[in-house]
Amino acid sequence: VADWLKRHPRDGGFLLHLGDMAVARMDLVQAEARYRAVLALQPRHAVAMNNVAWLLASQGKPGGAEMAEAALKLLPERAPLLDTLSLALEVEKQLGKAIEVQKRATELEPLNPHLRLRLAKLLIKNGDRSAARKELQTLAGLGKDFAGQDEVASLLKTL
């Protein structure tokens, strides 16, 4: 890695890959550094912005929503980017807005069960048990096609 970066210091694709590898290892500090290095080379790299936003939100750090919104300006109406913004808004104590953003993500990718599960969790957190139950029942209807059935069942029991 060091040799490649020495010979190719402006290889944003490789830096992005290194960031992804760091996330896989749960080395969030290294991942953030790699994605920020991509942004130093390509300030309008929406994926790197989204990944930094996710890292900030995942660690409870401020600034994730702002970074996620900047990514969405470059790649509007992308469900994964909306999902990141929703997480960042939740972390920044904007639960109502987080729910609206997550609903939009779910509308864009209605067959993505992970987006729907996150929406259900946000609804539970907001006290909207009826809407959460509806989302969870939709997920339960997927049966073995969604590996998260244990979590769905557990959440349904709490409602």
Side-chain angles (χ1 to χ4, degrees):
V1 168
D3 183 53
W4 181 266
L5 288 175
K6 185 176 180 181
R7 290 184 290 125
H8 305 92
R10 301 188 58 78
D11 187 344
F14 187 62
L15 289 167
L16 191 70
H17 172 70
L18 292 175
D20 294 346
M21 298 294 290
V23 168
R25 292 190 314 273
M26 293 306 293
D27 185 349
L28 304 185
V29 172
Q30 180 69 19
E32 184 177 342
R34 297 299 190 184
Y35 294 137
R36 287 192 185 275
V38 172
L39 291 173
L41 295 171
Q42 302 171 28
R44 296 177 48 86
H45 196 292
V47 173
M49 281 182 191
N50 183 69
N51 293 355
V52 170
W54 179 83
L55 286 163
L56 292 173
S58 295
Q59 297 173 82
K61 294 180 180 178
E66 183 179 339
M67 184 74 73
E69 286 171 345
L72 273 164
K73 284 181 183 174
L74 296 171
L75 292 175
E77 296 296 299
R78 300 297 201 289
L81 278 65
L82 287 163
D83 185 47
T84 299
L85 176 58
S86 175
L87 173 64
L89 289 167
E90 177 187 11
V91 166
E92 295 179 12
K93 310 280 191 257
Q94 298 181 52
L95 193 55
K97 192 172 177 184
I99 290 169
E100 291 310 310
V101 169
Q102 194 67 26
K103 283 180 180 177
R104 182 65 187 138
T106 303
E107 289 168 4
L108 289 170
E109 289 189 16
L111 300 179
N112 183 330
H114 302 286
L115 296 175
R116 192 168 301 280
L117 179 60
R118 208 170 115 53
L119 174 58
K121 289 178 182 180
L122 287 169
L123 292 165
I124 290 168
K125 190 173 187 177
N126 200 43
D128 191 344
R129 298 164 63 92
S130 175
R133 182 177 294 108
K134 180 182 173 210
E135 298 299 336
L136 291 169
Q137 287 171 337
T138 297
L139 291 169
L142 296 176
K144 63 181 170 131
D145 290 335
F146 178 50
Q149 289 301 332
D150 289 344
E151 185 174 11
V152 169
S154 177
L155 289 170
L156 277 167
K157 287 179 186 174
T158 69
L159 300 179

